[in-house]
Amino acid sequence: MPMKISGFDEHTVRVNGLDLHVASGGEGPPLLLLHGFPQTHLAWRHVAPALAGRFRVICPDLPGYGASAKPEGGHEQYAKRVTAATMVALMRQLGHERFGLVGHDRGALVAFRAALDHPDDVDHLGVIDVIPTVDMWESLAGVGGVFGFHLYFLAQLDDLPERMIGADPDTFFGHFLDTWAEAGTFDAEVREAYLAATRDPATIHAICQDYRASAFADAAHDDEDRRAGRRVKVPTLAIWQDPGDLVLPFDPSAVWHGWASDVRTLTLPGGHFLPETQPDAVTAAISSLIG
């Protein structure tokens, strides 16, 4: 039986021509939680039930990931601007005209774009262990590119990444689950659930399209907004992992203060997958953000 978030209902919602797999639960102000790479909505399996006592929590699989449909067409269909519009349409279809929005990794990039493009819909923004795409690309230089090799590889415009990943998807995606996480973050059942969701060639292609969009669409959208002085005006929470002895090629606090008018920050130990390694701290921070 597929894993589920405890106490949450699962259903399919058709939005903008796409069938989205959605888990939802709880009562209260609406809160949308978006997962990252290479995961599904199960990334919120600890945080979502803890928040459900105060919020109506909605956890979809992002388009292209998990059990959600894979957009057809070019990589432009995976631009964060497009996905953000789909997420806003999902919430409206569920009856939520204004909502809190928290994302991790790729989901945080979608959340950031939604807050910029749909300020009348998003009332609080949370971003976990990511910086905007344009800042990320500008920060990668020298040996920093070693740690971000997947950003370049997945964005190749031919089918090279699909063919290479397809030869052994478990090794490829398992690499990130193993090296970006502290030991013991994922038990065997959770790890298998994530890997099973990435074996489908259509999903592999969709993930590559997501990263192509970051290289050839998202960075340009961010740069246009930065040049125009557009900023996130809602209360914003930026969480990132404690890098330990590693010197980051950017200052996360400075980056997010450059994009948002009202920012609170939090640094946590535990590696990249903080909703899973530090669920209590992440839950408390989200609750504090939204009040």
Side-chain angles (χ1 to χ4, degrees), residues 8 22-34 44 47-48 50-52 54-60 91 94 96 98-103 122-126 282-283 286-287 289-290:
F8 275 50
V22 179
S24 58
E27 298 294 337
L31 174 61
L32 178 63
L33 302 180
L34 302 179
W44 300 105
V47 173
L51 290 170
R54 294 188 54 200
F55 303 99
R56 177 62 176 172
V57 183
I58 294 93
C59 305
M91 293 300 280
L94 295 175
H96 307 304
R98 194 160 171 80
F99 54 91
L101 177 52
V102 178
V122 177
D123 56 26
H124 293 82
L125 171 66
V282 170
T283 298
I286 294 172
S287 296
L289 168 71
I290 302 178

Side-chain angles (χ1 to χ4, degrees), residues 27-143:
E27 298 294 337
L31 174 61
L32 178 63
L33 302 180
L34 302 179
H35 68 85
F37 162 93
Q39 300 177 288
T40 69
H41 72 281
L42 288 174
W44 300 105
R45 67 192 178 280
H46 303 308
V47 173
L51 290 170
R54 294 188 54 200
F55 303 99
R56 177 62 176 172
V57 183
I58 294 93
C59 305
D61 287 342
L62 288 170
Y65 288 76
S68 285
K70 283 63 177 164
E72 298 180 357
H75 63 260
E76 297 85 359
Q77 298 304 310
Y78 289 82
K80 306 308 165 289
R81 172 162 282 159
V82 175
T83 305
T86 299
M87 294 298 101
V88 169
L90 166 66
M91 293 300 280
R92 289 176 179 169
Q93 193 159 322
L94 295 175
H96 307 304
E97 295 296 325
R98 194 160 171 80
F99 54 91
L101 177 52
V102 178
H104 171 247
D105 189 78
R106 311 303 288 174
L109 298 178
V110 175
F112 166 62
R113 177 48 54 188
L116 279 177
D117 288 358
H118 305 273
D120 294 333
D121 297 274
V122 177
D123 56 26
H124 293 82
L125 171 66
V127 291
I128 302 177
D129 215 41
V130 81
I131 58 174
T133 303
V134 67
D135 299 283
M136 179 273 297
W137 283 117
E138 290 175 353
S139 72
L140 289 175
V143 296

Side-chain angles (χ1 to χ4, degrees), residues 75-76 137 155-157 211-220:
H75 63 260
E76 297 85 359
W137 283 117
Q156 296 301 307
L157 290 174
Y211 278 82
R212 289 174 183 128
S214 281
F216 301 106
D218 300 337

